[in-house]
Amino acid sequence: MGRANAAYYAARDPFADFTTAPEICQAFGEVLGLWAAIVWQSMGSPSPVILTEAGPGRGTLMQDALRAISSAMPAFRAALSVHLVETSRRLREAQRNRVPDAIWHDSIDTLPAGPAILLANEFFDALPIRQFVRTDSGWNERFVQDGTFIEQPADIDIALAAQPGEIAEVNGPARAIVAQLAARAQTACLFVDYGPEHSAPGDSLQALRNGTQADPLTDPGSADLTAHVDFEALAHVARAAGAAAYGPVPQGIFLAQMGLPARIDRLARNAPPAQVMRLIAGSRRLMEPHAMGRLFKVLAICNGVSSPPPGFDPV
Ligand code: SAH
């Protein structure tokens, strides 16, 4: 599953197959930039600091974030350097057009040490998962061979209560990335992705081709493969590595607490009517529970940050 998705991102324009929050509304990236600015202050305004994005797609989120940071907190803009973690050469070109002064990385391994703030939207869901099937006696791992599933006894522990026949999913790369980031001093990360609030059994592997659902097993590399993110498992990994974890909270609640509606008001005041309609429709899509507001969640992981990050207050 992993190799098929790497081939997909390397060769295709994924945005023909799905639309993401920063592409829907500029206020999404702006609000994430303001989150980073507030957290930077809670770190004691370190300089220099790195502002990183993992899986930046077209570079839209970072472009919007930097614009908001420049006007709201110029001292943070002056202190930061931008680092983008991106494997797709094609998408790096698109990112270069929007964020020309970035430094690119193939993985988080090469990020410089020192104070860091990392943003990621729909990054973990693009990483490969392993699927396990509960049996009467334990767990089997499910593999794809010649277009069908085969099973072999699991070689890792699965800590999930499930009935025989139910599926557990493990995103190994996501867990490793969280463990590594959580162990860094003076680091704050914000992950936005879709998935349930609590770990639960279920087969969430999906293929999207040209915006519609496809069979994950046919024509590997031609469709985007995604799976729900297990936020509870990632928060557990972060705490075990010594960091604080906040959330997951629904995206709609997070954006409301971060003042997205007020930001839309301000943008709409100076915009032509067609743009006003787009801003309102876009912000509703991001926030409303039946659209992206509830399925999408936000998780923060902080180490060496003096106060809890904004957006996670109990409601
Ligand atoms: N965050 C963007 C794009 C989401 S799509 C947005 O919200 O629009 C997933 C992104 O992660 C793409 O940029 C893809 O090329 C990148 N990606 C996928 N696997 C990756 C990996 N292993 N390491 C780094 N980037 C990866």
Side-chain angles (χ1 to χ4, degrees):
M1 294 176 208
R3 209 156 327 127
N5 225 27
Y8 169 81
Y9 278 105
R12 303 258 170 163
D13 176 6
F15 298 94
D17 291 319
F18 58 86
T19 310
T20 58
E23 305 298 332
I24 290 170
C25 184
Q26 69 177 82
F28 183 81
E30 292 171 351
V31 157
L32 266 56
L34 296 177
W35 185 90
I38 293 165
V39 168
W40 176 68
Q41 287 189 312
S42 305
M43 289 174 149
S45 308
S47 177
V49 59
I50 65 167
L51 179 62
T52 301
E53 187 180 354
R58 287 177 171 160
T60 309
L61 191 164
M62 185 55 86
Q63 184 183 35
D64 294 338
L66 290 172
R67 188 177 53 248
I69 291 167
S70 293
S71 76
M73 216 175 280
F76 178 37
R77 183 68 185 94
L80 68 82
S81 58
V82 180
H83 294 256
L84 300 178
V85 181
E86 175 61 70
T87 42
S88 158
R89 293 298 181 268
R90 260 178 83 122
L91 286 173
R92 280 188 186 196
E93 281 315 304
Q95 292 154 18
R96 207 182 308 278
N97 290 331
R98 292 183 179 81
V99 192
D101 60 346
I103 298 156
W104 278 266
H105 301 262
D106 286 320
S107 79
I108 63 162
D109 298 350
T110 51
L111 291 174
I117 300 176
L118 179 140
L119 307 172
N121 183 60
E122 292 210 45
F123 172 60
F124 287 149
D125 73 69
L127 302 179
I129 57 154
R130 297 167 70 177
Q131 284 192 334
F132 300 86
V133 187
R134 179 75 211 185
T135 66
D136 290 329
S137 55
W139 291 93
N140 278 347
E141 183 162 6
R142 214 153 83 142
F143 296 93
V144 178
Q145 196 173 70
D146 302 327
T148 64
F149 286 122
I150 59 158
E151 288 183 18
Q152 273 169 28
D155 61 2
I156 58 169
D157 276 342
I158 307 293
L160 185 69
Q163 301 294 319
E166 286 187 318
I167 306 275
E169 295 177 334
V170 175
N171 190 329
R175 291 184 187 195
I177 287 168
V178 165
Q180 201 175 328
L181 291 169
R184 289 176 62 114
Q186 276 209 299
T187 294
C189 309
L190 190 74
F191 298 108
V192 185
D193 226 306
Y194 53 98
E197 197 174 338
H198 296 290
S199 304
D203 176 3
S204 75
L205 183 68
Q206 271 194 34
L208 277 179
R209 191 181 292 118
N210 303 322
T212 51
Q213 295 218 1
D215 177 357
L217 300 187
T218 54
D219 202 4
S222 75
D224 180 47
L225 294 182
T226 76
H228 285 184
V229 170
D230 184 348
F231 288 102
E232 194 174 353
L234 296 180
H236 181 79
V237 167
R239 292 190 183 110
Y246 302 89
V249 298
Q251 171 172 294
I253 306 262
F254 174 82
L255 293 176
Q257 290 195 3
M258 289 301 302
L260 185 118
R263 172 106 206 127
I264 295 291
D265 270 0
R266 265 199 307 284
L267 290 168
R269 229 168 278 161
N270 304 313
Q275 169 72 357
V276 172
M277 299 302 286
R278 260 202 306 280
L279 283 167
I280 292 171
S283 63
R284 290 181 66 159
R285 195 166 158 199
L286 296 182
M287 292 186 67
E288 286 184 353
H290 66 270
M292 297 168 77
R294 182 150 48 203
L295 177 58
F296 280 77
K297 306 283 190 310
V298 188
L299 174 74
I301 291 167
C302 300
N303 213 339
V305 184
S306 66
S307 37
F312 294 89
D313 291 343
V315 283

